Amino acid sequence: MAKKKSEEYGGDCEADGEYGEEPNFEDPEGFVDDVTDEELLADVLKQKPCETDGVENVVVVDNIPKVGPARQEKLKSVVEKLFANFGKIVNVYYPLDEEETTKGYAFLEYKNSAQAEEAVKALNNHRLDKSHTFAVNLFTDFQKYENIPEKWEPPTQQPYKVQEDLYNFLTEPDAYDQYCVAAETGQNSVQVQFWQNTIPEPTDLETRERFTDTFVKWSPLGTYIVTFHKPGVAIWGGTSYNKINKFPHPGTQFVDFSPGENYLVTYGPTQTGQKIIIWDIRSGQEKRSFVSDNMSSMSMFRWSHDDKYVARMCENSIQVYETPGFYLLDMKSIKIPGIRSFSWSPTDNIIAYWVAEETDVPAKVTLMEIPKKREIRNKNLFNVADCKIHWQKSGDYLCVKVDRFSKSKKDKKDADVKFLGMFYNFEIFHMREKDIPVDSVELKELILAFAWEPVGTKFGIIHGDPSNANVSFYEVKKGQKPSLVKKLEKKLCTHMFWSPRGQFVVLGNLTMGTLEFVDTNNDFVVMTTADHFRASDVEWDPTGRYVVTGVSSWKVKEDTGYNMYSFQGRLLRRTMLKNFVQFLWRPRPPSLLSEAQQKEIKKNLKKYYPQFESKDRMRMTRASKELLEKRAQLRAQFMEYRNKRIAEWTEQKSRRLQLRNHVDTDNLDTEDVDEEIVEFLVKEDVTVLE
Amino acid sequence: MKPLMLQGHERSITQIKYNRDGDLLFSASKDQKPNVWYSLNGERLGTYNGHNGAVWCVDVDWTSTKLITGSGDMTTKLWDVQHGVPLASIKTASSVRTCNFSYSGNQAAYSTDRAMGQNCEIFIIDVRTVDASLSHQDSTLRIPVLQSKVTAMQWGTLDETIITGHENGQITLWDLRTGKEINAVNDHTSQINDMQLSKDGTMFVTASKDTTAKLFDSDSLMCLKTYKTERPVNSASVSPILDHVVLGGGQDAMEVTTTSARAGKFDSLFFHLIYEEEFARLKGHFGPINSLCFHPDGRSYATGGEDGFVRVQAFDNSYFEYVFE
């Protein structure tokens, strides 16, 4: 194509030739050229070859092993294989000393500088073995550090950027909660609405079209909301949900906040596994990145409650990283052969983990203190198929659900282990008592759900067949075995959702969409049953006043939307929304009031109660007044129309009479129906009494 | 109060109607035999045997002497209500979808489907004297409907007009003296399943597949009110004594087998006529409600469902005591 064009152009030139005399392009006399080349052709000059060309493609690798000629081939292959991951290596150079031994560093040249930079990023501090940790630098760094000017210039002061108040949403005087509703509006475009749950009707705060590509997520304290996009993720906050920061990690599928909202972890799949990046939220800096070769939840990072540590499980070990440097705690991972799962305490720097059973060694649940790595409690368990670790939210108790078996069979064909005669133990650890005593509760039936009361001492278990389940509630007391306080039988539920403030629990069957609201402080009475067909989500608001059930178009295509209930199960609002996908309450940070202050408020609740009550009543009457006015207006309009029509209709009476043989049928004459009782003799029986 | 269950049909109900006095309830069904019931106790008086196809529509004249039915067997039949014998049978070129007596009962109208290469047509016949000869007589008026077929029909109050609802949601007012269209509106976006006049005939309520029911003025076809639901509406009726409208519907009959009764929303929905607010729901049928109507005294209403049952539900006192402020 290009060739053809030039030919055409040439042709034109020839044609132009006919125009004869060429104008004069000479500079006039005395002309001074005051336009520099840079001004004129900056873009062309940029491409001009320069001396350093090729140099920035070179990386310097320090701390490679010093080896003699015999093992150099091996070394080269190892090093180059590692570095070839980032692009083709076009040139290598291993400097040798007099004895033909490598000097401990090497130069590798890539095709372009981007590959070189990538290699530096990924392999700097790479541990080849115990004594060799690579230090990889760009060759051009030498120049950079050489050229540091002698005289230090103080950095220029940056203009102060006013930070928006991120906690504005907490200053709502009536403590109305916020929620967001996401609905798919097209491929990779999700509309998000922000609402304030005001009385009597919620207020629309903001609607954002195409806010995110897939879904949204609140940070654990409700400060930020995160959105997902092709180039990465962004967080938003403040009064009008402005962009606070963005984190360029293309293809991020999932994110996780640290509990204190200091760090963000992004997970994005790569061709072979996934890339995980830990970011500092405030600065937007990448703190550390990991490449993992599997997608499983094994590689999930789990945070300690105070953001001090982050840990992940590897095969036979736990890696604990210390913030803010993100180095391994004591520079080494904690070896735990056979570890299957672990979990941080929500209030203390304690890790609970369990290791599977080996031939002669029992399975074991261990509590370990971090950073001392001291085991503070051990519990051996036998015949264990699986364990699940459930911490109570206030960290007072830990429950380990143990699936046990009476017999196991190794299936020769599948090499799968089959367990027979399953039964279930709940090992309750009393964390706040001396030496952490452990109690056990045993159940024979299949366990469908387990949940701690977030505040309080109760836990609930749903067990049995899903269509005919039993719900058992236990109470844990200091120094005592957990006691069964109530068993609700023949329930149709599969999940249980405790109110975040405790006491109330919603038992739900998420395939049928039936819900039962239970008050656990009042003899476990079922207050109400509700029905939201095919509801797939149940969400308590952070204050425990409202429950929302949602039918998401991720699961069901018809009748998507959400219902809002009071905590007693009274249906407040039904909202149908096309392509609705998510309903999320905005979380709240924990109260700043001390325990004593909260107690004080609870004690004086009677004093505050009428205040709030009258406020609410005022709002409701205002709303109902508005409604009544609206209705009155509708009524007046309609009656005006009706009266006109009725007048017309009355005028037509004679014509109607004509049509029906002068029988007036306008008023029904069925009012005086006589009821007639007709008695039939059906059968006559004679019974002789003895 | 416990509803009366009228069990007599073997297939789904297509239309139910009370007579003017309200003592009789007529039901048409796909099982070919229209039934008549005592509305007070649900006892079946008899059946009208003679059709060889699904009966799509039924109407009774104001004196409760004549009955008209239209069927998929390509006939419309006139019956003696009291004796249950057919008086006349009129052959048509395709299925009869709608049929109605005029206010005076001197005329009747019926419409046929656009099928088998036939156009949809509206016929007006004189039924002052009904005997076998009617089948040979020409209709007094024949209106070919070239656009969308007629799916619901009502007579205007004075025997001068008819109102038709169409498959595409259009509603048309016809002048019977000229056979010409007077007015047409397109407030609905999908098929009109049912149209019922208010007690005085000045308004009518439509039920449409577009999940809404609307209230129209019978002369100007002005849309007065809209009642929104979540499902196609199959039938709607205005209470003769209160400002209430009842709506019935549910899934399309085709999709019924794949949905459970809880998802189908087969409830009757009660709306306030003026405020357009839903204030009550009544469960009952196992399938969609195909037809419903208020008793002429407004103290009960009847529903006919895809499940083949007719239910007559009398209202409790609380229904009458409930007042919208």
Side-chain angles (χ1 to χ4, degrees):
Chain A
M1 197 66 198
K3 198 177 165 196
K4 199 173 163 199
K5 252 199 188 141
S6 73
E7 272 170 10
E8 275 172 10
Y9 185 67
D12 284 345
C13 269
E14 270 166 53
D16 283 345
E18 286 173 28
Y19 292 96
E21 217 176 297
E22 198 172 292
N24 186 10
F25 289 113
E26 292 281 308
D27 286 335
E29 252 178 74
F31 172 80
V32 184
D33 191 356
D34 57 353
V35 185
T36 61
D37 283 355
E38 276 78 19
E39 276 178 62
L40 208 59
L41 330 142
D43 49 335
V44 180
L45 281 176
K46 231 185 212 170
Q47 296 170 15
K48 185 179 149 188
C50 66
E51 264 181 73
T52 56
D53 245 8
V55 176
E56 69 264 23
N57 302 352
V58 179
V59 295
V60 188
V61 188
D62 276 302
N63 294 340
I64 62 171
K66 294 178 185 172
V67 293
R71 295 182 58 213
Q72 274 174 19
E73 274 312 305
K74 168 97 176 154
L75 172 72
K76 282 181 184 176
S77 79
V78 166
V79 170
E80 278 153 40
K81 197 178 159 199
L82 259 172
F83 281 85
N85 283 335
F86 306 94
K88 203 178 166 219
I89 295 166
V90 292
N91 203 357
V92 291
Y93 177 59
Y94 294 83
L96 304 175
D97 60 11
E98 301 87 53
E99 282 153 32
E100 297 282 302
T101 327
T102 53
K103 281 185 170 176
Y105 52 91
F107 300 89
L108 303 168
E109 187 178 349
Y110 283 100
K111 264 198 171 153
N112 59 47
S113 55
Q115 291 171 349
E117 275 167 35
E118 191 67 22
V120 169
K121 245 191 216 171
L123 290 177
N124 193 20
N125 291 332
H126 177 83
R127 252 178 71 158
L128 187 69
D129 54 38
K130 251 183 207 160
S131 45
H132 295 95
T133 302
F134 285 168
V136 187
N137 287 294
L138 283 175
F139 192 71
T140 44
D141 281 357
F142 285 105
Q143 242 173 350
K144 195 169 110 192
Y145 294 120
E146 247 170 30
N147 291 345
I148 288 174
E150 288 290 307
K151 225 181 113 201
W152 179 75
E153 261 182 52
T156 51
Q157 200 171 353
Q158 298 287 323
Y160 175 67
K161 262 206 298 194
V162 183
Q163 263 281 359
E164 232 191 308
D165 179 9
L166 293 175
Y167 300 102
N168 192 283
F169 71 103
L170 294 170
T171 57
E172 220 291 321
D174 291 302
Y176 290 131
D177 278 291
Q178 290 189 11
Y179 60 84
C180 74
V181 177
E184 254 169 3
T185 47
Q187 204 184 0
N188 286 343
S189 102
V190 173
Q191 177 215 57
V192 177
Q193 293 176 330
F194 294 94
W195 293 85
Q196 187 115 45
N197 192 26
T198 45
I199 290 175
E201 288 299 316
T203 326
D204 189 355
L205 298 174
E206 188 118 2
T207 300
R208 294 282 178 86
E209 299 295 334
R210 276 178 271 142
F211 192 47
T212 176
D213 284 1
T214 46
F215 64 100
V216 288
K217 183 176 172 164
W218 290 103
S219 63
L221 306 180
T223 317
Y224 311 104
I225 188 164
V226 57
T227 59
F228 295 78
H229 309 276
K230 259 202 198 108
V233 299
I235 56 169
W236 313 69
T239 27
S240 47
Y241 310 99
N242 291 327
K243 192 186 276 177
I244 306 293
N245 226 330
K246 48 187 180 185
F247 306 96
H249 180 181
T252 302
Q253 282 192 332
F254 181 75
V255 298
D256 193 19
F257 283 90
S258 69
E261 296 185 342
N262 292 312
Y263 304 102
L264 179 76
V265 192
T266 56
Y267 296 82
T270 57
Q271 272 152 1
T272 51
Q274 63 177 340
K275 191 173 177 184
I276 304 161
I277 306 178
I278 302 181
W279 309 81
D280 183 282
I281 288 180
R282 278 183 200 89
S283 66
Q285 264 173 0
E286 182 178 326
K287 297 301 278 188
R288 181 129 194 208
S289 71
F290 302 86
V291 178
S292 138
D293 47 5
N294 62 40
M295 287 289 289
S296 74
S297 58
M298 280 270 289
S299 49
M300 280 285 290
F301 280 89
R302 285 163 223 214
W303 294 89
S304 69
H305 73 103
D306 53 3
D307 282 14
K308 268 205 180 136
Y309 305 99
V310 62
R312 72 163 166 175
M313 192 169 71
C314 296
E315 220 156 284
N316 298 327
S317 68
I318 296 181
Q319 292 179 331
V320 181
Y321 297 87
E322 215 170 346
T323 63
F326 290 94
Y327 291 110
L328 270 176
L329 182 65
D330 303 336
M331 300 312 272
K332 54 180 183 255
S333 51
I334 305 166
K335 287 265 171 301
I336 304 166
I339 181 168
R340 292 285 294 273
S341 156
F342 81 101
S343 176
W344 285 93
S345 156
T347 49
D348 302 278
N349 282 335
I350 295 172
I351 284 179
Y353 65 84
W354 77 281
V355 293
E357 207 163 358
E358 282 296 320
T359 341
D360 292 320
V361 187
K364 197 165 72 169
V365 176
T366 309
L367 298 174
M368 182 192 273
E369 231 176 18
I370 299 292
K372 286 184 201 149
K373 300 184 187 172
R374 190 169 62 94
E375 291 185 7
I376 51 173
R377 188 71 167 90
N378 258 326
K379 168 93 183 167
N380 288 344
L381 299 161
F382 298 92
N383 298 342
V384 175
D386 195 16
C387 280
K388 285 261 154 40
I389 301 168
H390 300 274
W391 282 95
Q392 193 215 18
K393 209 177 141 203
S394 48
D396 297 345
Y397 299 99
L398 164 72
C399 171
V400 180
K401 176 197 156 218
V402 190
D403 299 5
R404 299 180 60 189
F405 55 89
S406 39
K407 240 191 235 167
S408 75
K409 224 192 212 169
K410 258 208 170 106
D411 202 325
K412 272 179 199 150
K413 242 191 254 161
D414 306 338
D416 268 350
V417 187
K418 270 195 181 162
F419 299 112
L420 298 168
M422 295 294 289
F423 60 103
Y424 305 89
N425 273 25
F426 293 89
E427 306 290 336
I428 312 290
F429 292 68
H430 297 250
M431 296 300 294
R432 301 281 184 244
E433 288 169 48
K434 204 179 159 230
D435 295 335
I436 313 180
V438 182
D439 285 317
S440 181
V441 174
E442 188 172 303
L443 279 167
K444 294 273 184 222
E445 287 177 313
L446 180 70
I447 307 299
L448 298 170
F450 170 91
W452 279 103
E453 186 179 15
V455 184
T457 53
K458 286 190 277 279
F459 62 87
I461 303 168
I462 305 177
H463 50 101
D465 190 65
S467 57
N468 184 13
N470 299 315
V471 187
S472 297
F473 290 95
Y474 290 83
E475 186 150 20
V476 200
K477 282 197 187 117
K478 203 173 168 182
Q480 282 178 23
K481 256 184 93 107
S483 54
L484 180 68
V485 280
K486 185 78 182 181
K487 189 171 174 185
L488 303 170
E489 288 181 343
K490 290 185 185 158
K491 292 285 170 199
L492 204 77
C493 57
T494 54
H495 292 73
M496 64 194 313
F497 304 91
W498 282 95
S499 154
R501 312 288 296 172
Q503 183 174 358
F504 300 101
V505 64
V506 174
L507 304 175
N509 182 323
L510 294 191
T511 42
M512 307 280 288
T514 52
L515 307 161
E516 284 180 292
F517 293 75
V518 177
D519 182 352
T520 61
N521 283 12
N522 191 4
D523 196 34
F524 299 84
V525 66
V526 177
M527 297 183 289
T528 344
T529 57
D531 197 359
H532 188 194
F533 188 63
R534 289 199 273 200
S536 48
D537 306 283
V538 175
E539 298 269 351
W540 279 92
D541 85 313
T543 58
R545 293 179 289 180
Y546 301 98
V547 183
V548 165
T549 58
V551 176
S552 162
S553 81
W554 282 332
K555 284 205 174 141
V556 186
K557 287 292 162 217
E558 289 172 328
D559 292 331
T560 53
Y562 53 94
N563 287 0
M564 194 180 288
Y565 302 87
S566 73
F567 68 95
Q568 295 124 319
R570 188 160 53 89
L571 179 64
L572 301 174
R573 209 165 294 114
R574 192 185 286 141
T575 313
M576 304 292 280
L577 184 64
K578 218 181 151 214
N579 294 324
F580 159 81
V581 289
Q582 257 187 315
F583 182 102
L584 294 173
W585 289 101
R586 188 172 191 167
R588 283 169 175 274
S591 172
L592 293 175
L593 299 175
S594 69
E595 198 104 333
Q597 282 171 308
Q598 292 187 35
K599 237 182 207 156
E600 185 70 22
I601 292 173
K602 266 185 200 158
K603 218 172 88 189
N604 295 329
L605 203 59
K606 281 225 172 80
K607 211 165 71 192
Y608 305 117
Y609 187 73
Q611 242 172 294
F612 291 115
E613 190 75 340
S614 71
K615 235 179 173 180
D616 275 355
R617 208 176 305 128
M618 227 159 69
R619 277 195 201 96
M620 293 309 273
T621 39
R622 201 183 307 140
S624 64
K625 211 175 120 198
E626 276 168 25
L627 183 71
L628 289 185
E629 274 167 17
K630 197 184 124 204
R631 281 180 178 171
Q633 200 191 339
L634 281 173
R635 174 151 217 108
Q637 272 175 12
F638 193 76
M639 285 330 280
E640 195 187 333
Y641 154 82
R642 279 299 286 162
N643 289 337
K644 230 187 276 167
R645 289 292 280 146
I646 289 170
E648 279 174 41
W649 182 72
T650 337
E651 268 173 41
Q652 290 171 344
K653 176 135 190 166
S654 60
R655 293 179 61 192
R656 273 202 302 280
L657 284 173
Q658 224 174 338
L659 284 169
R660 286 197 171 170
N661 307 329
H662 302 284
V663 179
D664 188 356
T665 54
D666 285 352
N667 295 306
L668 267 183
D669 39 16
T670 50
E671 296 295 327
D672 40 59
V673 177
D674 292 330
E675 210 163 300
E676 190 184 335
I677 298 172
V678 183
E679 287 183 19
F680 295 96
L681 184 68
V682 182
K683 204 171 156 192
E684 213 169 9
D685 267 343
V686 180
T687 318
V688 183
L689 290 170
E690 285 174 21
Chain B
M1 213 161 105
K2 219 173 159 243
L4 295 173
M5 289 279 280
L6 315 193
Q7 308 180 25
H9 286 291
E10 287 163 8
R11 291 196 57 198
S12 46
I13 310 297
T14 52
Q15 194 167 34
I16 57 169
K17 255 178 201 162
Y18 280 103
N19 66 343
R20 190 185 56 82
D21 296 321
D23 59 335
L24 301 179
L25 178 65
F26 297 88
S27 59
S29 150
K30 288 186 187 169
D31 69 3
Q32 316 182 355
K33 288 176 196 157
N35 283 6
V36 58
W37 317 76
Y38 277 127
S39 66
L40 200 66
N41 57 7
E43 189 185 331
R44 181 159 73 170
L45 250 92
T47 58
Y48 298 90
N49 301 350
H51 275 300
N52 293 319
V55 181
W56 293 115
C57 50
V58 63
D59 195 28
V60 59
D61 75 338
W62 71 279
T63 56
S64 302
T65 49
K66 290 193 285 274
L67 188 76
I68 186 167
T69 54
S71 162
D73 65 4
M74 300 196 283
T75 60
T76 182
K77 289 189 198 304
L78 286 125
W79 310 79
D80 181 349
V81 168
Q82 197 180 350
H83 301 102
V85 291
L87 301 172
S89 177
I90 304 165
K91 278 214 169 58
T92 54
S94 58
S95 303
V96 180
R97 186 61 54 175
T98 65
C99 61
N100 277 299
F101 283 109
S102 73
Y103 183 78
S104 66
N106 295 339
Q107 301 179 80
Y110 61 91
S111 78
T112 57
D113 271 0
R114 187 221 305 270
M116 299 178 292
Q118 299 295 324
N119 269 331
C120 170
E121 280 184 294
I122 304 167
F123 298 86
I124 311 292
I125 50 172
D126 189 324
V127 291
R128 274 174 293 192
T129 48
V130 179
D131 50 42
S133 68
L134 194 66
S135 29
H136 316 299
Q137 280 170 21
D138 279 344
S139 49
T140 45
L141 185 67
R142 192 170 164 170
I143 311 170
V145 181
L146 297 176
Q147 329 100 327
S148 192
K149 83 168 187 195
V150 174
T151 50
M153 177 170 55
Q154 274 298 339
W155 279 83
T157 32
L158 295 171
D159 284 22
E160 289 164 354
T161 53
I162 57 166
I163 306 157
T164 51
H166 298 258
E167 202 173 14
N168 61 0
Q170 183 177 304
I171 294 167
T172 313
L173 183 69
W174 306 88
D175 186 342
L176 296 183
R177 286 166 296 194
T178 59
K180 292 265 159 30
E181 192 180 307
I182 305 174
N183 194 0
V185 290
N186 284 305
D187 290 278
H188 279 294
T189 54
S190 187
Q191 181 172 319
I192 311 289
N193 286 324
D194 187 29
M195 295 199 301
Q196 289 190 31
L197 293 173
S198 65
K199 189 189 165 202
D200 59 16
T202 57
M203 306 182 289
F204 64 92
V205 64
T206 56
S208 167
K209 210 177 155 183
D210 69 7
T211 74
T212 63
K214 287 175 195 272
L215 186 71
F216 289 90
D217 182 281
S218 321
D219 281 354
S220 64
L221 298 191
M222 182 173 66
C223 179
L224 304 168
K225 298 286 168 190
T226 301
Y227 312 100
K228 289 186 190 125
T229 77
E230 294 146 13
R231 287 283 187 268
V233 187
N234 291 339
S235 191
S237 182
V238 189
S239 163
I241 53 169
L242 294 169
D243 286 330
H244 293 173
V245 184
V246 62
L247 272 51
Q251 224 85 16
D252 274 346
M254 268 169 67
E255 289 162 27
V256 166
T257 48
T258 58
T259 37
S260 90
R262 300 194 327 113
K265 312 222 163 134
F266 307 135
D267 311 346
S268 313
L269 311 179
F270 285 81
F271 280 78
H272 193 275
L273 180 82
I274 300 168
Y275 311 142
E276 304 173 345
E277 288 170 43
E278 182 190 322
F279 64 91
R281 277 178 187 219
L282 260 166
K283 282 193 203 325
H285 288 279
F286 304 107
I289 292 170
N290 286 341
S291 181
L292 53 74
C293 49
F294 271 104
H295 189 278
D297 70 4
R299 306 202 151 260
S300 64
Y301 81 110
T303 52
E306 184 71 21
D307 57 9
F309 294 123
V310 177
R311 295 166 69 95
V312 179
Q313 174 81 59
F315 296 118
D316 292 333
N317 274 336
S318 58
Y319 169 81
F320 301 103
E321 283 157 10
Y322 181 71
V323 182
F324 270 85
E325 283 168 31

